[in-house]
């Protein structure tokens, strides 16, 4: 019933009775330093601005450090709520809570972070990649005003909560959604109609040690303005994002406007905005083992539902990249991830309305322009009934207009990256 009220797909295999159970962890505590609010940021009280954080962790030993950083660095930790999905095996002897929380009993303090952490446990044999994990974590959303999507190996900058809200307020007219301006033309858009809301997102700067000092500098900002088509056998026709360092972008174009900066792409590892976006554009749990293509698909769903994406004015989180020794979801025995991924690729191409390549290499005949690579008849099995009306494109703006604005040519599989 909750899923239906939220407009989500009541997926039977994701019900808590089948593979999930609530997991409480006791003695969670951390001393919180009350820091003054900078003069250039709005006064935001915990009563009026709660934040929900979606966090899915596949056997991630950094999950606890991430949650510690969230509460330690927040200006108002009591208004932050986390929905964490722990995908672990019995041999994993770590928790999604850090040792700092167990130093004293929660009943001795006025604020207990444990009260704000909602956790579900999932067997690794049922894990199906990032989109499913994000979907399950968002089932724990309970009406908070703002929402954030992050990876489980992330650290946070001091007072990140008020800084992120201030960023969103800066392009939504003091926090109000701008639906009344729908249909107006923006000078910088090339004819693109104005969105009704927006999110901040980018690839965060990298780090390797939670305890080491970190410079939260504008020099490490990445703008989501570059991407390219993949053309190998397994991933042909999918779009992978790249990103460009802000310093390089300003060298190429000294007239880059003041941040937050409008950008054509959205990253899934850091995404923050008015929580309306997770209700209007829920994550699709039917994209099993989709990695390449996940971000661009969610980008166009956001855009066609009326949400613009912005680079924040400063780095607010950092991310551990690589992790070569970390377990991977495709290493689970007998999960046949490649078979499920192939079906997800079909679903991706259907929703993205990918065209067949019009200039193939060699002597193969060129496809007719504007020929869909995957149409409704090409979808197989359950893909035909997996809530396309909920997880497909929006109707606020047209997909063809997004491709034109972003500089993506579907016939020849090229991206101009004109926004960089």
């Amino acid at each position: 019933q909750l899923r239906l009220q939220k407009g989500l797909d009541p997926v039977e295999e994701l019900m808590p009775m089948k593979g999930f159970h609530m997991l409480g962890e006791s003695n969670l505590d951390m001393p919180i330093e009350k820091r003054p609010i900078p003069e250039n940021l709005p006064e935001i009280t915990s009563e009026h601005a709660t934040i929900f954080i979606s966090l899915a962790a596949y056997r991630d030993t950094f999950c606890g450090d991430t949650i510690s950083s969230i509460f330690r660095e927040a200006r108002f930790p009591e208004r932050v709520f986390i929905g964490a999905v722990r995908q672990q095996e019995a041999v994993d002897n770590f928790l999604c809570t850090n040792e700092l929380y167990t130093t004293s009993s929660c009943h001795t303090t006025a604020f207990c972070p444990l009260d704000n952490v909602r956790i579900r446990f999932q067997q690794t044999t049922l894990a199906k990649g990032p989109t499913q994990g994000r979907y399950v974590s968002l089932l724990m959303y309970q009406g908070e005003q703002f929402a954030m999507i992050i990876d489980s190996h992330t650290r946070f900058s001091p007072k990140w909560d008020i800084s992120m809200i201030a960023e969103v307020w800066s392009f939504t007219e003091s926090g109000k959604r701008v639906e009344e301006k729908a249909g107006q033309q923006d000078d910088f858009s090339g004819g693109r109609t104005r969105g009704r809301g927006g999110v901040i997102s980018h690839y965060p700067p990298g780090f390797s040690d939670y305890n080491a000092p970190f410079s939260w500098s504008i020099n490490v900002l990445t703008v989501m303005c570059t991407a390219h088509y993949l053309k190998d056998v397994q991933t042909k026709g999918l779009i992978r994002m790249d990103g460009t360092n802000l310093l390089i972008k300003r060298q190429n174009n000294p007239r880059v406007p003041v941040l937050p900066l409008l950008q054509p792409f959205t990253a899934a590892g850091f995404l923050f905005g008015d929580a309306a976006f997770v209700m209007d554009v829920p994550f699709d749990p039917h994209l099993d083992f989709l990695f390449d293509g996940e971000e661009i698909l969610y980008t166009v769903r956001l855009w066609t539902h009326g949400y613009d994406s912005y680079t924040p004015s400063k780095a607010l989180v950092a991310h551990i990249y690589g992790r070569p020794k970390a377990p991977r979801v495709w290493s689970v025995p007998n999960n046949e991830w490649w078979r499920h991924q192939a079906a997800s690729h079909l679903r991706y191409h259907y929703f993205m309305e990918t065209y067949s390549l019009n200039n193939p290499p060699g002597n193969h005949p060129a496809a007719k322009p504007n020929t869909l690579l995957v149409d409704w008849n090409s979808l197989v099995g359950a893909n035909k009934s997996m809530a396309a009306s909920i997880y497909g494109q929006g109707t606020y703006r047209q997909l063809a207009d997004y491709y034109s604005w972003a500089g993506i040519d579907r016939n020849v599989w090229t991206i101009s990256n004109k926004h960089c």
Side-chain angles (χ1 to χ4, degrees), residues 32-110:
I32 302 296
E33 176 187 357
K34 294 297 185 179
R35 305 181 181 93
I37 302 175
E39 293 182 359
N40 62 335
L41 293 178
E43 175 77 32
I44 303 167
T45 66
S46 59
E47 292 81 9
H48 296 97
T50 52
I51 299 172
F52 177 82
I53 299 178
S54 163
L55 187 153
Y58 181 82
R59 305 187 67 186
D60 192 346
T61 58
F62 295 114
C63 179
D65 293 308
T66 297
I67 292 180
S68 295
S69 181
I70 289 171
F71 287 114
R72 181 176 60 248
E73 303 297 345
R75 171 63 179 84
F76 293 106
E78 66 274 8
R79 70 159 187 208
V80 177
F81 299 84
I82 300 173
V85 181
R86 289 179 50 192
Q87 299 169 327
Q88 292 187 216
E89 295 184 357
V91 297
D92 295 329
N93 59 359
F94 53 86
L95 301 176
C96 262
T97 50
N98 191 276
E99 291 78 3
L100 289 174
Y101 292 113
T102 62
T103 57
S104 62
S105 298
C106 258
H107 68 267
T108 62
T109 58

Side-chain angles (χ1 to χ4, degrees), residues 17 39 45 114 204 231-232 240 280 334 405:
M17 293 297 292
E39 293 182 359
T45 66
L114 173 61
K231 299 180 182 180
D232 58 71
R240 178 186 293 172
D280 293 338
N334 304 316
W405 174 71

Side-chain angles (χ1 to χ4, degrees), residues 134 149-151 154 201-204 267-271 295 317 319:
R134 302 189 210 284
I149 314 298
I150 60 166
D151 288 338
T154 302
S201 178
H202 72 138
Y203 289 147
F270 169 62
L271 176 60
E295 293 177 312
V317 299
H319 182 278

Side-chain angles (χ1 to χ4, degrees), residues 332-397:
V332 177
N334 304 316
N335 67 359
E336 296 185 347
W337 63 270
W338 57 90
R339 180 171 59 85
H340 299 286
Q341 186 184 75
S344 296
H345 287 173
L346 291 176
R347 185 173 175 84
Y348 164 96
H349 289 305
Y350 174 73
F351 284 140
M352 291 288 292
E353 298 182 14
T354 305
Y355 288 163
S356 296
L357 183 61
N358 198 34
N359 61 343
N363 298 319
H364 300 289
K368 294 180 180 180
N370 304 343
T371 300
L372 289 173
L373 185 65
V374 174
D375 58 20
W376 181 253
N377 294 326
S378 302
L379 294 179
V380 295
N383 256 332
K384 285 184 177 290
S385 60
M386 286 182 177
S389 61
I390 297 176
Y391 303 117
Q393 306 304 335
T395 58
Y396 193 87
R397 295 183 286 201

Side-chain angles (χ1 to χ4, degrees), residues 314-329:
K314 58 183 176 181
L316 298 168
V317 299
H319 182 278
I320 296 179
Y321 292 95
R323 302 187 302 128
K325 296 182 180 180
R328 306 297 181 182
V329 68

